Amino acid sequence: MRVRSALVVAGEPKSVASLYRKAVLTSNPGPVRRWSRGDRRFERAFLRELVKQASGASPQQVIVGANALFERERGTLSDAPSQTHLLLACYVLAAYRHLIDAGGAPDEARRVVTRALVSPNQRTARLFMAACLLLPGDRLAFLRRSTEWLVRSVYGDWFRFRSEGDGTTRFVSIVEQCGFFDLLSRHGEPDLTQAFCAWDTTWSGAISATRHGVRFELDGTIAQGRDACRFCFVRTDARGRDIDPRGQPSK
């Protein structure tokens, strides 16, 4: 069965997005908003990739599971940006449970859902980052401004951030609260958060310390048992060596 056909089953909720697209939205005029085209694209791409990775997967069963999870967790939303992240988490968790119920091993199920989450946009994310890094200007400053914009505009109250570093030679964006980890922990699957760690760094492969003068490192995550996730950007010289606050290469 093609994925598209699973999204047009007559007489049933077609997806999380369609479930709340019209009148249902008015029952909670707070953070729950109309689903964006990006939300719908994610939904289709995730299910399509899931079937490619696990040929026996049923998109319709994943949709039903995601619907139930979204309804259960809807009350945790406090702002509109968090709604998209809840959509992602519901689909990943529903797909993982579907694969486990079908007899899959946990490690393999995590691999499959991680691939389904990351693969559709990985190439685009890297190409976009590579194009941005071709622009003239201070690339560390660009990455700092971009990260700060994402924190303000995209992540919402599901996440809590702070930053460290002088901003000149080093910038660290620190995630002290992760909504993905919190939700998956409530449902007994905290290890599944690592799928989102992989998804959240798809762009990083485009950054070259020797070519761009910046090195990126994800220095631990909450999913790994650390107190926070640390997204580190460090200025480097032409040989890829870190530059210290005095402007000298680190030994």
Side-chain angles (χ1 to χ4, degrees):
M1 179 174 63
R2 296 174 60 193
V3 173
R4 183 173 298 276
S5 67
L7 296 173
V8 292
V9 176
E12 296 184 14
K14 301 179 182 63
S15 62
V16 173
S18 62
L19 183 63
Y20 291 99
R21 186 172 53 186
K22 295 182 179 179
V24 178
L25 289 170
T26 62
S27 66
N28 183 355
V32 178
R33 56 168 169 74
R34 291 187 180 277
W35 295 96
S36 69
R37 291 181 180 178
D39 294 337
R40 301 304 303 274
R41 283 196 298 269
F42 156 75
E43 182 180 67
R44 291 191 294 268
F46 177 80
L47 291 171
R48 190 179 298 116
E49 188 66 28
L50 182 70
V51 171
K52 286 172 60 179
Q53 296 295 320
S55 58
S58 166
Q60 186 62 32
Q61 290 187 33
V62 174
I63 290 169
V64 170
N67 283 338
L69 285 166
F70 187 91
E71 182 63 27
R72 178 174 175 180
E73 293 289 340
R74 188 182 183 201
T76 66
L77 293 173
S78 59
D79 62 359
S82 299
Q83 180 174 311
T84 292
H85 295 106
L86 177 57
L87 172 70
L88 269 62
C90 287
Y91 266 99
V92 167
L93 181 55
Y96 174 78
R97 287 177 168 174
H98 170 58
L99 295 174
I100 293 295
D101 290 345
D107 287 348
E108 177 63 11
R110 279 192 291 270
R111 185 198 68 79
V112 168
V113 297
T114 299
R115 186 73 176 168
L117 178 66
V118 171
S119 291
N121 295 314
Q122 185 172 38
R123 184 172 181 271
T124 300
R126 288 186 178 181
L127 287 174
F128 179 76
M129 176 59 74
C132 289
L133 293 171
L134 290 174
L135 298 173
D138 187 324
R139 288 162 178 144
L140 179 63
F142 162 75
L143 291 166
R144 175 180 56 80
R145 291 193 302 269
S146 300
T147 301
E148 291 173 344
W149 177 84
L150 287 169
V151 168
R152 291 193 308 270
S153 307
V154 174
Y155 281 95
D157 290 345
W158 248 34
F159 300 83
R160 186 174 69 250
F161 294 84
R162 65 182 176 88
S163 59
E164 288 181 352
D166 57 20
T168 302
T169 60
R170 181 180 177 86
F171 171 73
V172 185
S173 181
I174 302 173
V175 184
E176 296 183 314
Q177 175 182 316
C178 172
F180 294 130
F181 179 79
D182 293 343
L183 180 141
L184 294 169
S185 295
R186 287 197 299 274
H187 290 271
E189 300 295 346
D191 289 346
L192 199 53
T193 311
Q194 295 186 48
F196 292 98
C197 300
W199 172 74
D200 213 17
T201 54
T202 52
W203 45 266
S204 63
I207 301 175
S208 168
T210 54
R211 187 166 65 252
H212 300 124
V214 179
R215 176 177 64 82
F216 170 76
E217 178 184 6
L218 179 56
D219 184 18
T221 67
I222 295 171
Q224 295 170 338
R226 302 284 290 274
D227 63 324
C229 308
R230 289 175 168 81
F231 294 77
C232 306
F233 302 88
V234 182
R235 191 179 301 281
T236 59
D237 66 7
R239 294 171 59 184
R241 297 175 298 181
D242 292 359
I243 299 296
D244 66 24
R246 298 171 299 171
Q248 301 297 316
S250 300
K251 296 181 179 180

